[in-house]
Every structure is written in C-alpha cells, then in structure tokens.
C-alpha cells in the first residue's frame, strides 16, 4: 500500500525540472533530484560547451518525476565519484606544467593517492555538493518505485 511522502524543502531548487541553455541554441532540461542547490552552469552533454540555467520562471516543481533513461539529473556528489575526479586531476597535474602538484607543500608529500583522497574530501565538502548523473534503467526504476510507493501529494506538503 502506498504511503504519502512528506517532501520538505530547505532549498528552492529542490525537485525542480530546470532549463539550461547556451548561445549556440542548445537546450537541456535537468531535474534536481535532491534537496540542495543546483549549479548555475554545467558543462554541455558532449563536453564541448557550457549551459546556463535560464528562464527560471519555466522551472517546475516535480517531486514525483520519473526521469527517462539518458536524461541528466543532479544528484549528491559521492566520495566514489569525487575520487574519480580527484585521481584524474592528480594524474593530469602531478608532474606536468609549471606548477606541478608533486611540488605542492601539502599535497606533494602525500603522494598521488593521498593527494587524490585529500582533494576528494574537499570536493565532497559538507556532503551536499551536486553533480550530474545520466539516468540509467536502474536509476529510472528506483525513482519509479519511489513515486509509486511513496507518492508526493501537493496538498500534503510539509
């Protein structure tokens, strides 16, 4: 039996479907699946440009949204994802360029893995940092289950 979900919102961006655009005419709708701030700008889907949150008046509050496979959504940054990014940054800057990370007074002595762990911890911060995730079948199914088993009803909002 379904139970009504009480959706509280600490952040105005929570559970909003938001429009992102750029000067090249790209338009992408990205859903914020979390009760946290969404980024003002994101890298375009193909990584060749930047999209900016636009036409805010068109944003829609949709906590029961079930995003389609392939859509991008905002989720909380996990330590695993932060480590992937941090390791990439360490690899790219450890011993390359004018300011090599290996010479950094704090990160250098930690070695590459220690530096990546320290950077990842910074990326995650207080645990509410957003990142973009592409919806898979598994992610879509989880949101569909939540919307079915614990639907949000506007009249019951906390």
């Amino acid at each position: 039996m379904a139970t009504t979900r009480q959706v509280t919102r600490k952040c105005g961006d929570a559970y909003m479907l938001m429009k992102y655009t750029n000067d090249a005419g790209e338009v992408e709708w990205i859903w914020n699946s979390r009760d946290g701030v969404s980024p003002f700008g994101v890298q375009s889907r193909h990584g060749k440009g930047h999209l900016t949150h636009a036409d805010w008046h068109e944003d829609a509050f949709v906590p029961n949204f079930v995003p389609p496979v392939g859509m991008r959504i905002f989720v909380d940054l996990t330590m695993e994802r932060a480590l992937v990014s941090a390791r990439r940054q360490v690899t790219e800057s450890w011993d390359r360029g004018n300011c090599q990370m290996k010479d950094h007074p704090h990160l250098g002595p930690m070695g590459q893995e220690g530096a990546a762990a320290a950077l990842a911890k910074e990326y995650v911060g207080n645990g509410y940092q957003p990142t973009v995730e592409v919806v898979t079948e598994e992610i879509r199914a989880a949101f569909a289950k939540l919307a079915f088993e614990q639907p949000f009803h506007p009249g019951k909002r906390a």
Side-chain angles (χ1 to χ4, degrees):
M1 181 165 166
T3 60
T4 301
R5 182 169 32 136
Q6 294 264 325
V7 176
T8 58
R9 295 170 69 190
K10 293 179 256 170
C11 175
D13 292 357
Y15 315 107
M16 296 292 280
L17 187 58
M18 298 174 285
K19 183 178 182 181
Y20 284 77
T21 65
N22 66 16
D23 291 339
E26 287 181 82
V27 175
E28 183 176 2
W29 288 87
I30 303 176
W31 183 53
N32 188 7
S33 72
R34 51 196 289 282
D35 190 2
V37 182
S38 61
F40 182 69
V42 296
Q43 191 171 43
S44 68
R45 180 178 283 278
H46 303 294
K48 297 179 182 172
H50 193 76
L51 300 171
T52 303
H53 187 191
D55 302 321
W56 296 18
H57 64 281
E58 293 181 25
D59 292 354
F61 176 65
V62 284
N64 287 328
F65 188 65
V66 179
V69 172
M71 179 181 197
R72 296 197 304 168
I73 62 174
F74 293 117
V75 297
D76 287 331
L77 178 63
T78 63
M79 184 55 79
E80 291 92 0
R81 291 193 77 164
L83 272 169
V84 169
S85 294
R87 285 179 179 132
R88 184 179 323 113
Q89 183 177 353
V90 168
T91 298
E92 291 171 358
S93 59
W94 187 254
D95 57 4
R96 295 184 189 143
N98 293 334
C99 295
Q100 296 180 0
M101 191 178 288
K102 70 178 182 180
D103 297 328
H104 187 277
H106 301 293
L107 298 176
M110 295 179 181
Q112 290 184 353
E113 194 55 34
L119 288 174
K121 188 175 180 182
E122 281 186 37
Y123 295 167
V124 171
N126 62 7
Y128 299 107
Q129 299 302 316
T131 190
V132 175
E133 178 84 41
V134 176
V135 175
T136 62
E137 287 286 350
E138 182 179 0
I139 292 169
R140 184 185 186 294
F143 281 114
K145 181 178 180 185
L146 180 64
F148 177 75
E149 292 179 354
Q150 297 179 23
F152 167 77
H153 295 290
K156 306 244 184 196
R157 189 165 89 179

